[in-house]
Structures are given as structure tokens and as C-alpha cells.
Amino acid sequence: MNKALYPIVEIFSSIQGEGFHMGKGSTFIRVAGCNLRCSWCDTQHSFDVSKARWMSVEEIIEESEITHQHVVITGGEPTLYDLGPLVQELHKLGKYVAIETNGTNPIPADWALDWITASPKPGSDFALCCQADELKYVVDDEFTIDCITKQYLPEGRIFLQVESGRQESAQKGYELINSHPDRRLRMGIQLHKILDVR
Ligand code: SF4
């Protein structure tokens, strides 16, 4: 029996609406708490850890419907907790386990995550403290090309994310992609919001 407990906000199945795996059926496990406070954050309901339900790995797996093979641990900021035991049990079920992080914490290799999406944020000076499989940058008014880390990634894995559907953000991302073809950037959208699903 594993003793790890996690503050869970919600567990639900939908589609991955962003990034490299966009469109895939996915089960999301959202943990509470975040070390940043981004102005555009659309998951502020996950900030308050006291409103979350502390669940063991067994409870998460037995009480939840983790229907999809693609599982995304998100938040808030999931690296505030030791995710190793949870990832291990999900792997035993044959799940592909991805994480969404703001990149401010190192991610231990022994968590053995299958995919790391890091989204460095202005509140942390765009610090990136983990090895990522893809990077997502929200294009707000302050964002510049110099905010993007030089960390090596295969082509097509750095996304410029439109800020909450703002036209100015979309235009700025479009211009950055076209003025820096050497960086091989991609435009990022939120498909779940366009489709008006969860
Ligand atoms: S890091 Fe993510 S969860 Fe935390 S405040 Fe920023 S957008 Fe919200």
C-alpha cells in the first residue's frame, strides 16, 4: 500500500486541447496548489489546496474513471508533490503518463514520465528547471522571442500559445513565427475552448 496523498481538484476525461498531443482523448488528473499567479490563469479554482480532496494513489485509481490510455497530470503545479508513486501505478495499468508543469521545479528522472509539457511563465522569469518534451509560451504583451529557452528540442515542439483567445496575442504570435523562421515555432491554440468542451 502506497502512503502518498495528493490534493485532487478534479479527475475528468476529455480531449487534450493543446500542444503536441492536441486532439487525443485524455484523462486529466488536476492537483491543487501553484507557486505562481499568472494574470491569465484559467485554472484559478485549483489554487486553494484546502478545498481539494487528499486522495491516495489507490483512491485515485479505484474511485476515478481513468478511461483513456493517455493520462495528463496537471494543475495548478503538479511538481509540488512527489508524483513518482502515482505515475508508477498508472504505468502498471498500461497508461501513457504526461505532465503539464510551469517548469520551475526539477523533475526527477525516476518518476519515469512519458511526456513533459513545460510552460515557462513570466512570474518565474521564464525559468526552465526541467527537461521538457515540448514547450508552450503564452504570448502576452510582455512576451518577446528572447523569453524562449535555448534548450534543445526536436522541430515543432515549441508552441506560441494565444492568450485566452485575444486577437492581439494571436497577431503577435503570428508575426513572431514569421519573423523568426529559424526557430521553427508553432502556433498554439486551445482546441477544447474552440469546441466548447471541458
Ligand atoms: S503556473 Fe499555471 S496554474 Fe499556476 S498560476 Fe500560472 S497558469 Fe495558473
Side-chain angles (χ1 to χ4, degrees), residues 10-11 44 64 66 71 88 94 98 110 132 135 148 179 186 191:
E10 56 185 349
I11 299 174
Q44 294 184 17
S64 319
I66 302 179
V71 176
Q88 197 176 28
D110 64 7
L135 291 167
I148 299 175
S179 55
R186 290 176 71 176
L191 181 63

Side-chain angles (χ1 to χ4, degrees), residues 5-67:
L5 292 172
Y6 303 94
I8 301 298
V9 178
E10 56 185 349
I11 299 174
F12 63 97
S13 289
S14 181
I15 55 164
Q16 173 55 281
E18 302 177 5
F20 191 82
H21 293 287
M22 185 169 67
K24 284 187 181 173
S26 306
T27 297
F28 293 83
I29 300 174
R30 187 184 307 286
V31 299
C34 187
N35 55 331
L36 300 181
R37 290 292 182 269
C38 305
S39 59
W40 64 79
C41 180
D42 56 6
T43 55
Q44 294 184 17
H45 61 291
S46 67
F47 287 170
D48 191 350
V49 177
S50 70
K51 288 185 180 154
R53 177 183 170 198
W54 288 87
M55 297 175 76
S56 67
V57 173
E58 289 76 15
E59 286 170 332
I60 291 171
I61 286 171
E62 286 166 14
E63 293 183 25
S64 319
E65 292 205 12
I66 302 179
T67 50

Side-chain angles (χ1 to χ4, degrees), residues 39-42 138 161-167 169 190 193:
S39 59
W40 64 79
C41 180
D42 56 6
V138 176
Q161 196 79 19
V162 178
E163 181 196 346
S164 306
R166 282 181 63 224
Q167 182 54 35
S169 170
Q190 291 180 300
K193 292 192 178 171

